[in-house]
Amino acid sequence: MTMMPLIVPLGDCGLLIRFAETLDDHANVRAVGFARQLALDPPAGALEIVPKLVSVYLRYDPSRISFADLAAEVRLRLSLSSEVPGAPAEPVIIPTCYDGADLGEAATAAGLTEQAFIERHAGAALRVLSIGFAPGFAYCGFHEDLPPLPRRGEVRPRVPAGTVLYAAGQTAITATAIPTGWNVIGHTDFRNFDAAANPPVRLEAGTPVRFEVQ
């Protein structure tokens, strides 16, 4: 059964619309779709609309609208919202060199050879689930032909921009140097963050992507 979205305050100028308690495909599609609808016609006082994995964050100006009034407007829009699929889009190709330090361990944990793991990973039709955690960091999912491997027990203090990561049934692409506990499976020259560009990211939530062996 579809969960009624939960609307909660975040601080004194934020509102969160949560579509599920745990990550799943339907909740992510609902969150991304509703964020797009809000962006096309922002509510009064809205300053920022950000889709997350299963929620939408709305930052607003409390001098222009109260939380109660904004929440009422959001509830009305949710009641009128319809899930209309967007136009088909060609996937963004992410050329990837599968040379990550954890590729062998990840393949073994998945019960596959390295080559079989690479073929399944590179052949998957994915979409961007969310951009977050760090500038340009892209969460991509969902992998139907690979098991949802856990994160590593130890955190690497730093991996460079362009690192391709795998864990929890998702692939992530780093756009800046960050620490990570995800499995490092490769790297790409694709960069999803440029502070001087407008917009600064090339991918957005909902964008179809496919990893391709470089």
Side-chain angles (χ1 to χ4, degrees):
M1 186 173 71
T2 300
M3 167 184 165
M4 283 296 294
L6 181 67
I7 299 173
V8 295
L10 282 183
D12 58 0
C13 61
L15 178 148
L16 189 72
I17 310 153
R18 184 181 298 142
F19 289 86
E21 295 296 333
T22 57
L23 176 60
D24 65 50
D25 184 76
H26 184 55
N28 178 258
V29 169
R30 293 177 71 197
V32 171
F34 190 62
R36 285 178 174 169
Q37 291 179 32
L38 290 178
L40 290 172
D41 182 18
L47 301 175
E48 186 178 17
I49 298 164
V50 183
K52 307 306 292 178
L53 289 173
V54 294
S55 62
V56 178
Y57 170 69
L58 200 160
R59 183 170 64 89
Y60 65 95
D61 182 350
S63 70
R64 295 180 56 196
I65 191 169
S66 68
F67 172 82
D69 287 345
L70 182 58
E73 173 69 15
V74 168
R75 288 191 189 97
L76 175 62
R77 296 197 185 200
L78 284 166
S79 71
L80 300 174
S81 176
S82 59
E83 296 177 31
V84 179
E90 288 297 316
V92 175
I93 303 301
I94 312 295
T96 302
C97 181
Y98 288 89
D99 59 354
D102 303 319
L103 177 62
E105 289 185 18
T108 299
L112 300 167
T113 63
E114 286 190 19
Q115 185 59 36
F117 185 97
I118 292 169
E119 289 174 357
R120 293 193 185 189
H121 187 274
L126 308 175
R127 73 173 188 277
V128 178
L129 305 177
S130 181
I131 302 294
F133 171 67
F137 187 93
Y139 297 86
C140 307
F142 292 93
H143 287 273
E144 297 181 356
D145 294 330
L146 288 173
L149 303 180
R151 291 171 176 81
R152 291 166 46 84
E154 296 180 0
V155 174
R156 283 189 170 86
R158 180 184 176 92
V159 296
T163 301
V164 178
L165 309 169
Y166 183 79
Q170 302 171 61
T171 293
I173 312 167
T174 69
T176 57
I178 59 168
T180 187
W182 290 50
N183 299 290
V184 175
I185 63 170
H187 76 272
T188 178
D189 291 333
F190 180 89
R191 295 292 182 269
N192 193 44
F193 179 69
D194 180 354
N198 185 21
V201 295
R202 298 168 62 184
L203 301 175
E204 63 178 20
T207 302
V209 295
R210 189 173 72 243
F211 292 82
E212 188 174 87
V213 179
Q214 188 174 45

